[in-house]
Amino acid sequence: MKVDMVFEGGGVLGICFVGALASLKQNGYEFERCAGASAGAIVAALVVAGYSVEELYDIIGNTNFSIFKKNQRYWKIPIPRALEFLGKNGLYSGENIENWIKPLLEAKGVTKFKHVMKNGNSKLRIITSDVTKGDMLVLPEDLKKYGIDPGEFDIATAVRMSASIPFYFTPYILDYKEGKSCIVDGGLLSNFPIWIFDVEGLPRWPTIGLRLEKIRPKQKSTRCGLFKFTKEVVSAPIDVNGERFIRDKDLVRTITIQYQGLSATDFDIVHKYKEVLFKLGYKYTETFLKRWDFERYVSTLKNDKKV
């Protein structure tokens, strides 16, 4: 069965999604269209580009995620990190994300949105946030607002935009005829765009969402130093218990993967937990599929429309 996939943002925790995809594939699902924000945009782009679950697993195993924290210095002499942050609005260069995914997309011959378009419609949708205009963007469609040809835009750049966690990675500055906009993590305005492939009437095949839910300890420390505060601010859109904001009809088509311990920006230590995260995604998806019934879901939609 065909299925459209929507991936929530989650930083390094997006490794869980590969385990989920493995389960779906083994159960006979074929991925048609994909959308996502932040780390979800990375997974979505690689799936639409044609990477198999096995290839995605190899990419995880061969990636040193600490490369995302590589600094691009603009000065020849060392300067305090705080001054770099103030000068660039981020601790680490957002180009690290783009430079990592670009050769992966090139290897599949999928570099621009036109390569994943059919009749002008893109099989890939990426959520970003224009903080200059205070607007959520769905790429590639919304590039028309800036006078930019959606088909000619680089997917790697769009992914970099969506995955630029505020304060952590430098934002992307989008130049267009009427000015400039500061573009950051799509999760800032819509971390889980489960609605993105919805249509009028009944769907031909399901849309399944993948989201993350942090298992929180009963008591949380009240100490809040500068470092801890900054880390929690950038993780908040990812770690928040978003289930309160998801409609009932969306919850039934959402695979919620629970995790604990790690944070979205634990790039330095995630290599120790790659296998654990993969297995979590697989386990929760297997549980979901035991109760999921697309025909019953469609029947529910029919009844809703009659009311």
Side-chain angles (χ1 to χ4, degrees):
M1 174 183 282
K2 290 182 178 180
V3 62
D4 293 331
M5 297 298 305
V6 176
F7 303 94
E8 186 184 47
V12 295
L13 301 166
I15 293 172
C16 293
F17 299 154
V18 180
L21 292 173
S23 170
L24 287 163
K25 192 72 175 177
Q26 288 177 13
N27 282 277
Y29 287 90
E30 296 293 330
F31 311 122
E32 182 67 13
R33 298 177 294 181
C34 292
S38 196
I42 293 175
V43 179
L46 293 176
V47 172
V48 171
Y51 278 93
S52 67
V53 172
E54 293 77 16
E55 287 174 316
L56 291 174
Y57 186 82
D58 287 340
I59 290 171
I60 291 172
N62 295 323
T63 296
N64 175 10
F65 289 94
S66 63
I67 62 172
F68 292 129
K69 295 177 67 175
K70 180 181 177 182
N71 269 314
Q72 180 177 353
R73 291 193 175 274
Y74 296 88
W75 296 273
K76 293 184 179 180
I77 58 172
I79 65 171
R81 175 68 59 81
L83 292 182
E84 284 194 303
F85 172 80
L86 291 173
K88 299 181 290 182
N89 296 321
L91 290 172
Y92 305 105
S93 174
E95 290 183 7
N96 297 336
I97 302 164
E98 187 170 357
N99 293 338
W100 173 76
I101 198 170
K102 190 171 185 176
L104 292 173
L105 296 173
E106 289 174 345
K108 294 293 186 180
V110 178
T111 58
K112 296 181 182 296
F113 278 103
K114 66 182 180 182
H115 297 142
V116 295
M117 282 183 172
K118 184 177 181 180
N119 299 324
N121 296 315
S122 177
K123 295 175 67 176
L124 173 66
R125 307 273 178 87
I126 291 176
I127 305 295
T128 65
S129 303
D130 183 338
V131 295
T132 303
K133 293 185 174 183
D135 194 12
M136 182 194 75
L137 305 178
V138 179
L139 305 184
E141 289 87 343
D142 284 343
L143 288 166
K144 295 176 183 177
K145 298 178 181 179
Y146 302 86
I148 297 171
D149 183 348
E152 293 298 328
F153 201 78
D154 283 346
I155 294 174
T157 302
V159 169
R160 176 257 174 98
M161 291 174 171
S162 185
S164 292
I165 301 172
F167 306 128
Y168 204 85
F169 291 113
T170 54
Y172 183 86
I173 306 302
L174 182 65
D175 280 299
Y176 57 102
K177 187 175 181 180
E178 296 178 1
K180 296 181 179 182
S181 278
C182 185
I183 312 294
V184 299
D185 195 321
L188 188 67
L189 296 180
S190 182
N191 202 37
F192 186 50
I194 187 65
W195 42 265
I196 203 163
F197 295 121
D198 287 351
V199 295
E200 290 292 331
L202 301 176
R204 291 175 293 172
W205 55 75
T207 294
I208 292 178
L210 284 165
R211 60 177 296 270
L212 299 156
E213 182 180 283
K214 189 170 186 177
I215 301 173
R216 297 185 178 276
K218 292 182 179 179
Q219 287 188 329
K220 197 170 183 180
S221 171
T222 56
R223 296 181 61 188
C224 194
L226 178 60
F227 176 77
K228 185 173 184 293
F229 172 75
T230 302
K231 186 174 182 180
E232 290 185 349
V233 165
V234 300
S235 298
I238 297 155
D239 290 344
V240 68
N241 182 0
E243 199 163 292
R244 291 174 299 164
F245 310 107
I246 303 176
R247 298 171 298 179
D248 288 342
K249 75 170 187 175
D250 293 330
L251 274 176
V252 299
R253 56 176 175 167
T254 297
I255 301 168
T256 299
I257 303 168
Q258 294 185 324
Y259 69 96
Q260 60 184 343
L262 285 174
S263 292
T265 54
D266 282 334
F267 295 98
D268 291 328
I269 62 173
V270 70
H271 63 278
K272 300 177 183 178
Y273 303 95
K274 290 177 182 178
E275 190 64 25
V276 172
L277 293 172
F278 178 90
K279 289 180 178 178
L280 275 177
Y282 186 92
K283 181 188 79 169
Y284 279 102
T285 303
E286 288 287 298
T287 300
F288 169 85
L289 292 176
K290 288 176 181 177
R291 57 178 170 77
W292 166 252
D293 186 322
F294 178 56
E295 297 302 325
R296 188 171 62 205
Y297 172 71
V298 171
S299 296
T300 302
L301 293 180
K302 287 180 180 178
N303 292 333
D304 286 346
K305 293 181 184 299
K306 290 178 182 179
V307 175

